[in-house]
Amino acid sequence: GAYVLWLPAGAAGSVRVVESNPAGALSVGGSAGNTGGSYDRLQDAVSFANAAGTAYAGVNFADVPENSFAGDNQQTAQPGAVVFHPHAFVAGSAGRLTLSLSGSASPAASGGWSGVLYLDANCNGTADPGEAVIAGPVDLIADQRLCLVVKTFAPANAPVNAQYAQTLTASFTWANAGFSASQSRSDLTVAGRAGEAGLKLSKSVNKAAAQPGETV
């Protein structure tokens, strides 16, 4: 990432150095070095007043790989039953993750819906016995994958086709950057008819990568 910028001899006045991020990178900070200027993260630029014949150093830009947050879901729940909505968060860099869950019922009179967020330790898409409810921030390291599952309860008196929309928000604060950003995923649970059979199809694979012609 090293670079050198030469200004015309005798040039003086305002200088603005702007970084263009590589694909998949996020700007989390920067430094104006010894220029006496300032860094603007939203513009990803350093601005300063140039004095002719002066050598400046330390004009740097801090980029990290972007985080990924997956899993928008829709499922049908029988009255009085529960369904599970899986999600996965992968940290591109070290930081602290804070999660929050909110929901609203439609029609509003079909109250009694609820959702609880669990840490899916074995990443199987359900809340198994012994898996903990997430009640506070989680510290992550670079490339760490955190599997989550939202356990949603449909009230016994939910009318057919009543809906419960939930939003799972992930707020991430990057280590050593003092900068945070949020991403959200959506889960929709629809009430089915009491007594109707439900079908859920899930797939898994036994390895993360495979060679051409190999069986998984």
Side-chain angles (χ1 to χ4, degrees):
Y3 69 96
V4 175
L5 171 65
W6 292 91
L7 300 179
S14 179
V15 173
R16 188 166 180 261
V17 183
V18 183
E19 184 203 25
S20 296
N21 285 356
L26 175 71
S27 294
V28 294
S31 170
N34 65 350
T35 64
S38 61
Y39 169 75
D40 182 342
R41 196 196 66 79
L42 294 179
Q43 300 295 323
D44 206 11
V46 170
S47 300
F48 63 95
N50 174 53
T54 303
Y56 298 104
V59 179
N60 295 323
F61 301 88
D63 296 337
V64 296
E66 292 181 336
N67 299 328
S68 69
F69 189 26
D72 288 328
N73 303 284
Q74 179 174 338
Q75 294 192 50
T76 299
Q78 306 307 308
V82 298
V83 292
F84 299 94
H85 299 287
H87 301 272
F89 186 94
V90 180
S93 184
R96 172 165 289 189
L97 177 66
T98 302
L99 297 155
S100 60
L101 183 65
S102 61
S104 61
S106 178
S110 63
W113 296 87
S114 63
V116 181
L117 178 63
Y118 285 84
L119 174 63
D120 185 8
N122 57 5
C123 296
N124 68 346
T126 189
D128 296 314
E131 291 184 330
V133 173
I134 294 181
V138 181
D139 291 323
L140 302 175
I141 62 175
D143 297 325
Q144 183 174 350
R145 177 185 178 89
L146 190 73
C147 292
L148 312 163
V149 65
V150 176
K151 180 179 180 180
T152 302
F153 172 77
N157 61 347
V160 177
N161 293 328
Q163 298 183 356
Y164 188 56
Q166 295 176 99
T167 300
L168 179 60
T169 301
S171 178
F172 192 81
T173 301
W174 280 266
N176 304 317
F179 164 67
S180 62
S182 297
Q183 298 171 272
S184 296
R185 292 290 141 204
S186 299
D187 296 326
L188 180 65
T189 307
V190 181
R193 296 183 184 277
E196 286 186 345
L199 175 65
K200 180 181 179 181
L201 178 66
S202 62
K203 291 184 178 182
S204 62
V205 66
N206 64 340
K207 55 183 67 179
Q211 298 300 316
E214 189 176 355
T215 298
V216 295

